Amino acid sequence: MSLASAIKTGDVAELPGKRDEDWRWTDLRGLVRVLPDASALLDPAGLPAGPFDGLAPQTVIANGRGDARIEVRPGESAEHALRIVARGAGAHAARVSISVAAGGRLRLLESYEGEGGYLSQTSLAISLGEGAVVERIVLAQDDAEAVSVSQAEVTLSPGASFSQTVLTSGARRQRIETRVAHPGGEASLRLNGVYLLADKRHADQTTVVTHAGTDGATVQLTKGVVRDQARGVFQGRIVVSEGADRTDARMGHHALILSDRAEVDAKPELEIYADDVACAHGNTVGALDDEALFYARQRGIPEPEARSMLTAAFVGEVVDRIEHEAAREVVRAWVAERLKG
């Protein structure tokens, strides 16, 4: 049951809804009563520049056309921009396959750019060979009227390193999901996220990490800011399977609610079936620190500017973790733009 299968069959009963535990806060079945026609053809040549233009060779998937495959050979290093672009009010789905062979390195600059009330599903399969290194940076700029789902299945090999930073401003309904098969064996995983939501936008960042072997590490940090009538959802689950001893896994989710009608739903989970592990999670949801705001105003900083500064500092901890310097500056400017006012 998924948005992709609903688009393929035209049957709204295939949509996930609130009766599905993992989708209870991102109810598509209750929202979408009739599936629209397939999205029209869209010529990538007529598109404006994307957020990561000029930083890496790019692949464009326009209205679901152009399934992509990105491969990095053993020992090679590559940078690639992947643009998922949607226009109009139709429905479409796309698949992307990414393979990084043993010892390879990839920086993936992924963006979601949309205009209109479209329904979009993107499925990604990402595999890392032994000792491979991948940094994935996702910048999601869907339309306020869109329904957008991105689902990534990541498979690590021993000694691999995968780091991901997802940043989003939400949509009418949006879910960015990452599932990771972690083999242990000194492989390392870092999952970071930021959601900045206003108006009636919704964003759901869901992750599931399954540790299946000994000596694996996972570090996760997600921060969110919601205002107006926006809704942020964070679901993080780390499973340490039987025998995955000496796993080190840490998860944190922290959110600021800046108005009375905004909402954050969070569900951090640890499922541990192994011995000798070090696992922890933390979750906080609150308002801006009144004392810090008072101190800033005492220094002559106008209140709107002080709020913006404190909020930027709050999410800056995540942004600063992006290793790709040019991409980090793109993201920093994107965050500043959304925190204005």
Side-chain angles (χ1 to χ4, degrees), residues 140-196:
Q141 308 176 98
D142 282 303
D143 193 279
E145 296 302 318
V147 175
S148 176
V149 174
S150 169
Q151 293 177 303
E153 297 275 353
V154 182
T155 303
L156 306 181
S157 296
S161 174
F162 182 80
S163 62
Q164 169 180 287
T165 305
V166 175
L167 305 105
T168 182
S169 55
R172 189 181 183 194
R173 289 285 191 284
Q174 183 197 67
R175 180 176 173 115
I176 300 175
E177 178 180 310
T178 307
R179 293 178 179 267
V180 183
H182 197 311
E186 307 294 341
S188 67
L189 172 65
R190 191 178 64 195
L191 299 174
N192 298 319
V194 169
Y195 55 88
L196 303 175

Side-chain angles (χ1 to χ4, degrees), residues 88-103:
H92 57 263
R95 301 185 65 84
V96 180
S97 175
I98 298 169
S99 175
V100 183

